[in-house]
Amino acid sequence: MKTALPLSLEDFLAALPGNYTNADRVLVQRAYRLAERVHNGQKRASGDPYINHCLAVASALAGLHMPADVVAAGLLHDTVEDTSITLDDLRRDFGDAIAKLVDGVTKLTQLPRVSRGEHQEELQNNVSLAGIIEQAEDEQSRRTRKRTLAIETLRKTFLAMGDDVRVVLIKLADRLHNMHTLGFFPEQKRRRIAQETLDIFAPLANRLGIWQIKWELEDLAFRYVNPEKYKEIAEQLAERLELREQQIQQIVEQFKRVLAEHGIQAEIYGRPKHIYSIYKKMTEKGKSFEMVRDVRGVRLLVPDVPACYAALGVIHTRWRPIPNEFDDYIAVPKDNFYQSLHTAVIYDDGKPVEVQIRTPEMDESAEMGIAAHWRYKEGGQRDKYDERISWLRKLMEWRQDIDDAQEFVDSMKTDVFQDRVYVFTPRGDIIDLPAGSTPIDFAYHVHTDIGNRCRGAKINGKLIPLEHELHTGDQVEILTAKHGGPSRDWLNPSLGLVRTQRARSKIRAWFKKQDREQNLAQGKALFEHEIQRLGLSEFDEKALEEIGRSLDYRSLDDIYVAIGSSDLSVGRLINKLLETKETDDILVVVPSTSAPPSTGSVTVLGLKDILTNSARCCNPTPGDDIIGYITRGRGATIHRQDCPNILRIRDRERLVKVSWGEHVHTYPVPISISAYDRQGLMSDITSLLNTESVNILDANVRVSKNLADLRLVIEVMDIAQLSRILARIENLPNVLEAQRLRGG
């Protein structure tokens, strides 16, 4: 594939904005010389010298009339990440402002990378079936991780908009040149990057009002996302190019003549056809290319706002306007500050012509968006910049609290990049919402508390259902309750009550807050009940917190909340607790294994062939923390670490460290069962124990006032089996409680 000719330094310097001072030009040249030196020998995927990419990014920024320090940062944007240059070096040589910009761009992209070459080599070296399966699973994990990292990068990009929008402009310029050279990458990577550009970066440029970058990103990305349709539309456009240009020229001359007759001077030119915009019109309106291609477009630039409306009146008088095709974005600008009059008329040949009418200032703002702020020096037309930055920060404000990167990006795609509707509060304030929003979305946009207490709504004074879709111009009044909160039904997508991610996040946050205290208490009670039921000693909170962190829970309370909400199994937690307890100088922790532990006995650490026997006072079971006590003439007696008899021993020198053996063995454990007496109760318990292959060594049943108290001694292999048996017994009808008895 032939790459584009590299931009020369002379061409680049000649294209710098005319208002640059000599000092500005010297700064840019110094940045170029440093970038050229430190990137020397580095190549792009296209084979071009890396400095060409730096020049392309800087040229795009210069085309937006960005200040010299931003253009210099564009030249240096990859130096900290890809060369030996440090931020301190940049700060020393170029000042704090440029260093901060480069640091901002670096932070947006500084994420771990996976070497595809290394992975492929490993895959080729391992041809066994097991190896292939393992490598396939690793590949899936790698792809998931890369997608997570990519989403997190986008999240950081959005948040950076509220800090310094110039960082995002550099990022957009970087993405623009990457899209121009995308053809040198493998197809799968091309499609992924192109789709990401269509979903995120082109809409981002649109929301910043930078039309010239937005449409270029769209066409470049569409070429790789849907190459067949791109080629089809491009070829059909090329076939009619000469005829279309002739028609546009005739329309332009006719418009000029008609407007001049009414004393209106206008600069008129045809609007270029963008392939992706044609494709969107075809898909959204269900039209074929034959129906779309004849829609001609012209743009009128007139001196001031009154002339915009005067020109509109003349055009509507001379040609018949098409119903529902008029939009006044001068009186009601778009939320990205775009202003223009849009209309469509039937021309003399019976075919439609789309018309945009605006002032030169509006046109520059539409093409360059927020970047138009830097077009002028101090004292120029900069009054709307603060409004734009305020809008960006407000846009980002509530998303700062979203921890999940995927949810964050989803919220941007639904709440920020969709088409908009403009509705009014009862006081006349304009509220900007995604198209398709409902009164509940409106309520949460106004204030979280109003959303939580929303119970109904009026549109233009009339009561409407909460699933009603809002339209531009609606006046919305929310009816609220004094107390209460949202309904869980609002989150049901089939009901269509909530359309924006912002409202969904606020509703989930409300329920999460309400449920947390209840789940916390319930989870703590369940955990303590299980500890007590198994007759375990008091647990180590620090060890439990460590386990929680390994499972991505930040605190002990979070662990209890997860148990209470059924996100975490109590049995799983206790098994992990037994696995990770630490030993101290005297007491030994029993390791938990997936295989049933047991032996012919217990291993005494440091001593061989010593006789051991279980203490009848506490009946230790695998899974318990145990300790050995050297007796006179009978070897070592094995006790649980919390056995009262052990705790009372004064002769600590006779205590020895012990651990469970490695051969299958069962251990007697006394349990207590409390239940309402009924026929067949003991039979059900016996049947359950048989299914677990558990023997009953002893049984004692007492019944008093219809309450049955059963004391059994059963043989189990470990704590995990005991926990499962007790839980199953408690699930039997009429059983109130089943727990392990402490002591004999």
Side-chain angles (χ1 to χ4, degrees):
M1 178 176 179
K2 185 178 179 181
T3 182
L5 292 174
L7 183 73
S8 70
L9 176 61
E10 292 73 20
D11 292 339
F12 167 65
L13 294 175
L16 290 176
N19 58 1
Y20 273 25
T21 65
N22 287 335
D24 290 338
R25 292 177 179 275
V26 169
L27 175 66
V28 172
Q29 289 184 62
R30 284 202 301 118
Y32 171 80
R33 285 195 293 270
L34 176 62
E36 184 183 40
R37 177 171 61 83
V38 298
H39 285 299
N40 184 37
Q42 294 181 356
K43 300 284 187 180
R44 297 273 289 174
S46 61
D48 286 343
Y50 201 93
I51 188 63
N52 287 1
H53 172 66
C54 303
L55 269 176
V57 172
S59 297
L61 295 168
L64 293 173
H65 294 269
M66 299 301 293
D69 57 350
V70 180
V71 175
L75 286 165
L76 301 168
H77 75 278
D78 277 335
T79 54
V80 172
E81 183 180 5
D82 292 336
T83 76
S84 60
I85 292 295
T86 67
L87 280 175
D88 288 337
D89 295 333
L90 293 181
R91 195 173 290 111
R92 182 192 64 237
D93 296 337
F94 293 93
D96 193 53
I98 290 178
K100 282 184 177 178
L101 289 172
V102 174
D103 185 37
V105 178
T106 303
K107 286 178 178 176
L108 293 181
T109 56
Q110 203 170 53
L111 292 169
R113 295 179 178 179
V114 178
S115 171
R116 184 175 179 84
E118 292 176 2
H119 174 76
Q120 286 297 111
E121 184 178 349
E122 290 175 6
L123 191 61
Q124 291 168 1
N125 290 339
N126 190 347
V127 295
S128 69
L129 179 59
I132 291 174
I133 293 173
E134 183 179 349
Q135 293 290 352
E137 291 174 348
D138 180 63
E139 172 73 8
Q140 181 64 33
S141 173
R142 186 180 68 86
R143 288 178 180 174
T144 302
R145 184 164 67 91
K146 288 187 72 176
R147 171 169 172 75
T148 301
L149 293 176
I151 290 173
E152 184 61 27
T153 301
L154 296 177
R155 179 176 183 269
K156 290 179 180 179
T157 303
F158 296 137
L159 293 177
M161 289 197 304
D163 297 330
D164 191 339
V165 72
R166 297 177 301 172
V167 171
V168 181
L169 294 177
I170 297 172
K171 185 70 176 175
L172 284 174
D174 175 69
R175 175 55 63 112
L176 181 61
H177 184 249
N178 286 338
M179 292 304 299
H180 276 291
T181 59
L182 196 58
F184 296 95
F185 289 98
E187 181 181 359
Q188 185 178 358
K189 187 173 184 179
R190 287 201 305 262
R191 285 181 178 268
R192 177 181 61 78
I193 294 175
Q195 189 63 57
E196 182 182 87
T197 300
L198 273 184
D199 289 343
I200 302 297
F201 287 97
L204 178 58
N206 181 53
R207 292 293 278 171
L208 293 175
I210 312 174
W211 183 262
Q212 65 184 52
I213 288 183
K214 177 250 188 187
W215 73 256
E216 195 171 359
L217 285 174
E218 285 181 339
D219 278 2
L220 289 168
F222 182 56
R223 177 181 178 182
Y224 296 106
V225 169
N226 195 337
E228 296 81 9
K229 186 60 68 174
Y230 176 92
K231 183 179 180 181
E232 176 188 333
I233 296 175
E235 289 176 348
Q236 290 175 320
L237 282 176
E239 289 175 2
R240 296 176 56 89
L241 179 61
E242 185 176 346
L243 176 61
R244 188 170 61 254
E245 287 180 345
Q246 291 176 358
Q247 291 178 345
I248 289 293
Q249 188 58 38
Q250 292 172 1
I251 292 170
V252 167
E253 295 299 327
Q254 179 75 331
F255 270 53
K256 281 184 177 179
R257 207 164 30 247
V258 171
L259 291 171
E261 290 173 359
H262 291 79
I264 299 174
Q265 297 298 317
E267 180 184 345
I268 308 175
Y269 53 90
R271 291 189 293 113
K273 287 281 188 178
H274 301 306
I275 294 175
Y276 185 66
S277 65
I278 293 175
Y279 173 75
K280 282 185 67 178
K281 189 172 292 186
M282 290 168 59
T283 54
E284 290 173 0
K285 297 188 177 182
K287 294 182 177 180
S288 66
F289 177 81
E290 296 297 322
M291 299 176 68
V292 172
R293 68 179 180 183
D294 289 327
V295 176
R296 287 77 53 93
V298 294
R299 181 173 297 159
L300 283 64
L301 301 186
V302 295
D304 51 33
V305 172
C308 291
Y309 290 100
L312 177 71
V314 170
I315 291 170
H316 278 187
T317 302
R318 174 64 177 79
W319 293 282
R320 180 167 60 88
I322 299 175
N324 302 319
E325 292 292 331
F326 172 67
D327 291 296
D328 187 348
Y329 296 119
I330 294 178
V332 184
K334 290 187 177 182
D335 54 317
N336 63 357
F337 298 90
Y338 172 87
Q339 287 186 293
S340 185
L341 295 178
H342 288 193
T343 189
V345 297
I346 300 298
Y347 190 60
D348 298 339
D349 58 6
K351 296 177 181 178
V353 174
E354 294 178 348
V355 184
Q356 294 177 347
I357 308 171
R358 60 180 67 154
T359 67
E361 292 78 17
M362 293 175 190
D363 188 57
E364 182 177 71
S365 179
E367 291 298 311
M368 301 176 64
I370 202 167
H373 157 65
W374 289 281
R375 182 70 183 263
Y376 304 93
K377 287 292 184 180
E378 292 294 337
Q381 298 184 16
R382 304 171 56 134
D383 55 318
K384 289 190 175 181
Y385 177 69
D386 289 339
E387 293 179 35
R388 291 176 183 268
I389 292 299
S390 175
W391 164 74
L392 281 172
R393 288 188 175 135
K394 186 176 181 182
L395 195 67
M396 295 297 112
E397 187 178 31
W398 71 273
R399 293 175 180 86
Q400 296 275 4
D401 298 328
I402 299 180
D403 293 327
D404 185 83
Q406 181 65 60
E407 182 181 354
F408 184 97
V409 173
D410 288 344
S411 75
M412 296 296 293
K413 290 166 74 172
T414 58
D415 298 3
V416 180
F417 297 153
Q418 279 188 356
D419 292 334
R420 319 299 291 177
V421 294
Y422 303 91
V423 297
F424 296 90
T425 68
R427 295 189 303 178
D429 297 328
I430 298 176
I431 301 296
D432 161 35
L433 294 167
S437 295
T438 68
I440 297 177
D441 296 311
F442 172 89
Y444 276 104
H445 188 94
V446 173
H447 196 280
T448 301
D449 187 54
I450 292 176
N452 288 337
R453 295 187 292 113
C454 174
R455 294 298 178 269
K458 290 183 178 180
I459 301 293
N460 304 322
K462 295 182 179 179
L463 282 170
I464 49 90
L466 289 177
E467 66 269 20
H468 177 84
E469 190 172 299
L470 302 179
H471 298 91
T472 295
D474 286 344
Q475 186 183 66
V476 187
E477 179 185 354
I478 299 298
L479 308 178
T480 60
K482 290 184 178 181
H483 305 287
S487 167
R488 290 190 185 273
D489 288 339
W490 293 0
L491 294 174
N492 187 340
S494 64
L495 298 179
L497 291 163
V498 176
R499 307 289 175 80
T500 64
Q501 191 67 32
R502 175 176 188 164
R504 292 191 195 97
S505 296
K506 297 289 185 182
I507 294 168
R508 290 194 190 102
W510 191 89
F511 282 113
K512 187 176 181 181
K513 183 177 179 181
Q514 299 301 310
D515 293 344
R516 181 175 175 84
E517 292 185 5
Q518 180 180 349
N519 287 333
L520 175 62
Q522 185 175 350
K524 188 174 183 180
L526 285 171
F527 179 78
E528 291 177 348
H529 173 69
E530 185 69 5
I531 288 287
Q532 181 181 6
R533 183 171 68 178
L534 295 174
L536 299 175
S537 59
E538 291 186 2
F539 62 93
D540 184 350
E541 288 192 355
K542 289 185 178 180
L544 190 59
E545 287 177 346
E546 283 293 327
I547 295 169
R549 279 191 286 271
S550 72
L551 298 173
D552 294 329
Y553 297 107
R554 297 179 182 176
S555 67
L556 204 58
D557 283 355
D558 289 342
I559 296 172
Y560 292 141
V561 169
I563 294 172
S565 60
S566 300
D567 289 337
L568 179 63
S569 163
V570 184
R572 179 189 179 196
L573 191 63
I574 288 178
N575 285 338
K576 281 189 169 291
L577 189 62
L578 292 173
E579 291 173 10
T580 57
K581 278 187 182 177
E582 297 180 355
T583 62
D584 57 25
D585 290 338
I586 299 176
L587 302 180
V588 175
V589 174
V590 181
S592 174
T593 63
S594 57
S598 287
T599 91
S601 59
V602 173
T603 300
V604 180
L605 303 186
L607 298 175
K608 294 183 178 180
D609 300 325
I610 187 172
L611 177 66
T612 61
N613 58 82
S614 295
R616 295 183 179 180
C617 57
C618 56
N619 293 311
T621 303
D624 288 333
D625 298 341
I626 56 175
I627 188 170
Y629 177 73
I630 301 296
T631 63
R632 291 180 175 85
R634 290 190 300 160
T637 303
I638 309 305
H639 293 260
R640 288 169 52 183
Q641 69 171 42
D642 59 347
C643 176
N645 291 333
I646 286 292
L647 296 176
R648 287 195 294 266
I649 289 177
R650 295 182 180 178
D651 189 2
R652 311 299 290 182
E653 293 181 355
R654 295 172 66 180
L655 296 174
V656 294
K657 295 181 179 181
V658 295
S659 67
W660 294 103
E662 300 176 353
H663 304 290
V664 176
H665 188 66
T666 57
Y667 299 84
V669 178
I671 63 172
S672 168
I673 304 170
S674 299
Y676 291 114
D677 190 30
R678 63 172 173 83
Q679 187 174 0
L681 174 62
M682 190 62 193
S683 174
D684 288 346
I685 294 173
T686 303
S687 176
L688 185 153
L689 294 174
N690 284 336
T691 62
E692 288 280 349
S693 300
V694 170
N695 292 328
I696 301 176
L697 301 181
D698 189 24
N700 186 8
V701 180
R702 289 187 300 175
V703 178
S704 175
K705 296 182 179 179
N706 204 34
L707 288 177
D709 181 16
L710 292 80
R711 302 293 176 97
L712 308 180
V713 178
I714 60 176
E715 287 186 317
V716 297
M717 293 183 291
D718 54 23
I719 284 289
Q721 185 185 30
L722 177 61
S723 175
R724 183 173 64 252
I725 290 170
L726 294 176
R728 290 189 64 187
I729 291 175
E730 282 192 346
N731 285 328
L732 292 175
N734 285 33
V735 174
L736 301 175
E737 185 180 53
Q739 63 179 6
R740 177 184 182 179
L741 285 174
R742 301 178 71 90

